[in-house]
Amino acid sequence: MRIRTAAPLVLAAATALAGSLLTSAPASAAPHQGGLHLGKIQYDSPGKDTRTNTSLIAEYVDVHNSGRSAVQLKGYRLKDDTGYTYTFPGFTVAAGKTVRIHTGKGKNAGAHVYWNRGSYVWNNTGDKARLIKPSGALLDSCSWGKGTGVKVCH
C-alpha cells in the first residue's frame, strides 16, 4: 500500500521540480548578447547652425559597446542617408563604454573621435544613421524626423 501512495507523491514532487527548473532555464539559457549599437545622436547642434568648428563638434553620434569585451572598430563605418561616411581608424571601445564621433575637427583622444568635416552631416529635418561592419554588413541603424535635435536610439 505504501508504495502505491508514495508513487503519486514522488511523481508530483518530480513534476514540480522539473517545472521549476523549466521556468528558470530561459533566464540562464539566454544570456544578454550585447554588442555595438548606436546610442545618442545630436543631429542638430545647439544654437544657430553657424558652421563654426564649435558648432560642428556639437553635432555627434555615440556608439556604445554593451558587450562583455572590447571591440576594435578599425574599418567600421558610420554613414548617413546622403552617403557621407566616417571610417573608424584603429580605435578600441572597451566593454560597457561609448565612443563619440564628432562631425567637426579635432584630435582623437579618449572616448572622442573627429570626422574632421567643415560642414554638417546629419539633417535636422530627418536622416538615418547606419553603423556598418568592415564586411559591409549593417550592424545597426537609427532614423529620425524633424524633432528636438537629439535622438536616443537605444
Side-chain angles (χ1 to χ4, degrees):
M1 282 302 264
R2 282 187 154 172
I3 294 173
R4 285 188 175 183
T5 57
L9 291 174
V10 171
L11 181 59
T15 303
L17 178 60
S20 68
L21 289 175
L22 289 174
T23 57
S24 64
S28 60
H32 177 63
Q33 299 291 320
L36 291 177
H37 62 86
L38 296 168
K40 180 180 177 183
I41 300 176
Q42 178 76 48
Y43 60 86
D44 185 6
S45 59
K48 256 186 144 175
D49 288 345
T50 59
R51 272 194 171 182
T52 63
N53 196 49
T54 301
S55 180
L56 290 167
I57 286 174
E59 182 183 80
Y60 61 82
V61 174
D62 286 345
V63 173
H64 183 70
N65 178 6
S66 59
R68 294 182 179 167
S69 57
V71 176
Q72 173 55 250
L73 295 177
K74 185 174 185 170
Y76 279 79
R77 291 174 287 153
L78 182 62
K79 192 173 183 176
D80 80 332
D81 265 349
T82 307
Y84 294 124
T85 304
Y86 173 79
T87 303
F88 280 91
F91 184 90
T92 300
V93 61
K97 300 297 181 183
T98 299
V99 59
R100 181 165 285 177
I101 303 93
H102 298 272
T103 300
K105 297 175 183 176
K107 184 177 178 184
N108 295 350
H112 299 268
V113 296
Y114 297 84
W115 204 319
N116 291 317
R117 290 185 49 85
S119 59
Y120 300 100
V121 171
W122 309 107
N123 294 324
N124 298 350
T125 56
D127 209 338
K128 184 174 187 177
R130 293 170 184 82
L131 184 59
I132 302 166
K133 292 180 175 184
S135 66
L138 178 67
L139 182 61
D140 194 15
S141 66
C142 182
S143 58
W144 60 90
K146 187 171 182 164
T148 64
V150 177
K151 173 74 177 185
V152 178
C153 303
H154 291 280

